């Protein structure tokens, strides 16, 4: 039998950042337990890590916009507070983001997207192609249009999460290398047959939240589904620097992003599929490489490291499940494509709810029970 004031189910970026916010708010680290058999795995391990509240804007997702913008504004403070406690790297890079269109139709697409972003007061502006190539000489000269977004930055999710994990362990937060299977009142049943009793429980384990029962009657109210995304990693030779900032592109209306890391690697992603293939898809790998090289030709000279796939926890309306569903239980999952960006807001709000403080942000659209049948 274990006892704690706060029990966090899930050690991905949401769970770890929630634990950090609790410690930073003055909670005794030894009164926090994080439950996860494989910390920093799943969607967190595969994520791109773009802090991109402007570039991530999509049509008909207006309720998401204020959440993304608010979380983006919260990230510098989160990074500063974490950096004050540890010197471990987070992979944070502050260069602006470029969004480019490969052909005429793609150029029109990003101009329409720019109009939407500016309509909502977001900081983005069209950039002459000559100026875009001055910022990034490695861009193809055959592009049709470019937009610069000064405030969209990035972190390396693996580095950032490892930094959080290291700090929390050093601070005295307890970690249980097992899975949670059931929540009965304030008791968390564990896969190893042990029980953890906590005053406040946080359900933060992404898609795994669908496998934790007992806290609801009838059908599970969380309509989570796995949305797979392929990710490629390249190593950049020392004498080569094909790109120095995040470049997002549309190539024949297909999205692709190229992310240069602080560790000398480059991540390439943007596929989204819902099928039964468990590993990286051949068509996804082929398309990502082809489209990324069309935008940044120098990628051909890099070394291929790996192709991996992650399952993002999607919801029917693409909004997360974030809220207090009853006394003693906070749900924080379903962040879909925005888990890294929204982690600052999700963790802050989750910790505030767990400590009995009303969040300043309106999260009514994220009601965890909105899809209950």
């Amino acid at each position: 039998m274990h006892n704690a004031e706060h029990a966090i189910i899930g050690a991905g970026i949401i769970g770890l950042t929630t634990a950090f916010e609790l410690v930073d708010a003055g909670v005794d680290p030894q009164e926090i337990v994080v439950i996860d058999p494989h910390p920093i795995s799943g969607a967190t391990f595969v994520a791109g890590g773009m802090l991109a509240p402007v570039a991530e804007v999509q049509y008909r997702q207006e309720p998401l916009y204020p959440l993304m913008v608010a979380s983006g504004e919260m990230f510098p403070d989160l990074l500063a507070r974490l950096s004050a406690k540890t010197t471990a790297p987070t992979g944070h890079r502050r260069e602006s983001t470029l969004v480019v269109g490969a052909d005429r139709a793609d150029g029109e697409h990003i101009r329409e997207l720019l109009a939407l972003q500016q309509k909502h007061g977001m900081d983005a502006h069209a950039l002459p192609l000559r100026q875009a190539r001055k910022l990034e000489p490695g861009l193809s000269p055959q592009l049709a249009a470019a937009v610069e977004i000064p405030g969209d930055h990035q972190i390396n999710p693996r580095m950032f999460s490892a930094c959080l994990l290291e700090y929390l362990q050093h601070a005295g937060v307890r970690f249980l290398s097992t899975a949670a299977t059931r929540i009965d009142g304030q008791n968390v049943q564990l896969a190893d047959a042990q029980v953890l009793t906590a005053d406040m429980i946080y359900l933060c384990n992404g898609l795994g939240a669908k496998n934790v029962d007992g806290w609801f009657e009838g059908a599970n109210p969380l309509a989570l589904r796995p949305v797979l995304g392929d990710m490629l990693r390249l190593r950049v030779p020392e004498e080569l620097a094909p790109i120095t900032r995040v470049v997002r592109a549309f190539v024949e209306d297909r999205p692709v992003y190229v992310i240069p890391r602080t560790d000398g690697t480059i991540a390439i992603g943007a596929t989204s599929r819902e099928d039964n293939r468990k590993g990286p898809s051949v068509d996804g790998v082929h398309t990502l490489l082809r489209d990324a090289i069309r935008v940044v030709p120098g990628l051909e000279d890099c070394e291929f490291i790996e192709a991996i796939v992650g399952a993002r926890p999607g919801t029917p309306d693409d909004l997360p499940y974030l809220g207090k569903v009853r006394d003693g239980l906070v749900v924080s999952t379903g962040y879909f494509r925005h888990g890294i960006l929204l982690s600052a807001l999700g963790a802050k709000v989750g910790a505030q709810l767990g400590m009995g403080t009303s969040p300043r942000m309106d999260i009514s659209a994220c009601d965890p029970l909105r899809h209950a049948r």
Side-chain angles (χ1 to χ4, degrees), residues 15-305:
L16 292 174
T17 311
T18 301
F20 174 80
E21 290 292 358
L22 289 171
V23 173
D24 203 49
V27 174
D28 182 353
Q30 296 187 2
E31 289 297 330
I32 302 172
V33 173
V34 180
I35 304 164
D36 196 317
H38 305 292
I40 316 177
S41 59
T44 295
F45 189 74
V46 184
M50 290 170 290
L51 307 179
V54 179
E56 288 287 346
V57 161
Q58 295 192 10
Y59 298 104
R60 296 184 297 278
Q61 290 190 344
E62 284 78 4
L64 261 176
Y65 301 169
L67 301 179
M68 295 192 299
V69 170
S71 197
E73 291 173 347
M74 295 166 67
F75 239 102
D77 175 68
L78 170 60
L79 288 165
R81 287 183 287 124
L82 180 59
S83 297
K85 294 174 170 56
T86 173
T87 59
T90 62
H92 185 215
R93 295 189 64 160
R94 298 175 176 84
E95 297 91 349
S96 63
T97 290
L98 294 181
V99 183
V100 301
D103 59 27
R104 183 175 299 179
D106 296 321
E108 183 60 27
H109 182 161
I110 68 170
R111 281 188 287 269
E112 292 174 353
L113 192 58
L114 174 62
L116 177 66
Q117 293 159 341
Q118 292 178 337
K119 176 183 176 181
H120 289 273
M122 300 176 182
D123 186 9
H125 57 268
L127 203 64
L129 288 171
R130 180 178 298 179
Q131 183 64 27
R133 295 196 69 236
K134 186 175 181 180
L135 288 175
E136 292 295 341
L139 287 174
S140 168
Q142 305 301 320
L143 300 175
V147 167
E148 183 178 22
I149 305 176
D152 279 8
H153 304 152
Q154 63 149 308
I155 58 170
N156 185 321
R158 298 185 189 183
M159 285 185 176
F160 181 72
S161 298
C163 179
L164 285 167
L165 179 62
E166 178 183 309
Y167 165 71
L168 294 170
Q169 290 175 326
H170 182 75
V173 171
R174 290 178 284 164
F175 284 79
L176 299 181
S177 297
T178 185
T181 59
R182 185 178 178 85
I183 298 173
D184 288 319
Q186 297 316 116
N187 294 325
V188 181
Q189 304 286 335
L190 304 176
D192 60 5
Q194 297 189 73
V195 177
L196 168 66
T197 300
D199 298 328
M200 183 60 62
I201 301 168
Y202 306 79
L203 191 59
C204 302
N205 57 333
L207 285 167
K210 286 203 61 132
N211 301 323
V212 181
D213 60 20
W215 60 274
F216 52 86
E217 294 183 4
N220 192 317
L222 305 181
L224 295 169
R225 73 187 195 282
V227 182
L228 303 177
D230 302 306
M231 174 70 76
L232 313 180
R233 291 180 65 236
L234 314 179
R235 181 174 291 110
V236 180
E238 291 185 6
E239 69 279 6
L240 180 69
I243 211 77
T244 63
R245 72 193 66 224
V246 173
V247 173
R248 305 172 69 107
F250 290 94
V251 179
E252 298 176 7
D253 207 36
R254 294 181 300 270
V256 64
Y257 50 72
V258 181
I259 311 170
R261 304 292 200 196
T262 58
D263 62 358
T265 63
I266 286 178
I268 301 173
T271 63
S272 184
R273 56 187 171 88
E274 299 182 48
D275 56 34
N276 295 320
R277 292 176 289 181
K278 303 303 181 184
S281 64
V282 172
D283 58 331
V285 172
H286 170 72
T287 301
L288 287 175
L289 283 175
R290 181 189 62 199
D291 291 350
I293 290 169
R294 178 170 172 179
V295 174
V296 184
L299 294 175
E300 285 188 312
D301 297 320
C302 293
E303 175 187 344
F304 191 90
I305 300 175

